[in-house]
Amino acid sequence: MQVKSRHHLRSDAVSDLEDTLEEQLGVSPAGEAYERVEFEDTDWEVILIDGEPQVAYFDDDPFLTVRGANAYDPEKRLVTVDAGAVSFVSDGADVMRPGITEATDDVSPDDLVVIAEESHGKVLAIGRARVDGADMVGDEGKVVDSLHHVGDELYEFTG
């Protein structure tokens, strides 16, 4: 991914971003330097926190990247998958009901969510919910569209 532009965020933009992440995910990033990076060949926009790509914009909504979610351990908007789903989710597959062991009740349709595996809590992907968190566990159907996962271009971007 070719970087098109890169600039530091103003303090009010940093405050807005921190407030949004606290409200959505219950996390408080605490970085010294916040930089916004735009790319030539993709719509991705990434926020580097102390040089690490920890926030990205998904359809104009800021949200943690996989790296950011693993760094801050979010407590909200969390979908947990079983071991059988790990390889599929890690490869960018959408998340199906049979693979989900639990989801937090604060998830609504169209919310961005963090997808983690159940045994160690490692975040595998970021997705967009299709249903409420309370309706995610079940026998059939796609419930989360994958947007970003371990090993994709965004994950591999090092700033």
Side-chain angles (χ1 to χ4, degrees):
M1 295 191 309
Q2 287 293 107
V3 173
K4 180 167 106 180
S5 70
R6 184 179 190 141
H7 58 275
H8 288 277
L9 294 183
R10 295 185 327 264
S11 60
D12 60 333
V14 169
S15 294
D16 289 347
L17 179 65
E18 289 175 342
D19 290 348
T20 299
L21 294 175
E22 175 66 42
E23 180 183 313
Q24 289 177 341
L25 297 160
V27 300
S28 302
E32 298 291 317
Y34 288 72
E35 286 182 277
R36 185 179 200 131
V37 179
E38 296 176 55
F39 301 98
E40 294 280 348
D41 49 354
T42 179
D43 289 338
W44 290 114
E45 282 190 26
V46 174
I47 303 296
L48 303 178
I49 300 177
D50 295 336
E52 292 292 319
Q54 295 187 343
V55 176
Y57 283 81
F58 301 93
D59 301 322
D60 297 326
D61 297 325
F63 203 76
L64 292 176
T65 61
V66 169
R67 289 182 188 276
N70 278 318
Y72 294 113
D73 200 23
E75 300 167 8
K76 299 178 182 176
R77 293 197 189 179
L78 190 58
V79 176
T80 305
V81 297
D82 62 22
V86 169
S87 63
F88 297 103
V89 173
S90 295
D91 284 341
D94 293 332
V95 184
M96 309 298 276
R97 272 195 182 99
I100 296 175
T101 58
E102 66 180 306
T104 54
D105 289 337
D106 59 353
V107 175
S108 299
D110 294 324
D111 278 353
L112 291 166
V113 294
V114 174
I115 304 158
E117 53 86 24
E118 68 178 338
S119 51
H120 301 103
K122 291 287 281 180
V123 175
L124 306 171
I126 304 300
R128 192 168 295 278
R130 291 179 161 215
V131 299
D132 288 320
D135 296 332
M136 286 204 176
V137 177
D139 294 331
E140 63 182 37
K142 186 187 302 184
V143 292
V144 179
D145 296 320
S146 181
L147 300 175
H148 159 51
H149 61 278
V150 170
D152 70 8
E153 278 189 303
L154 176 56
Y155 184 82
E156 296 298 332
F157 177 71
T158 56

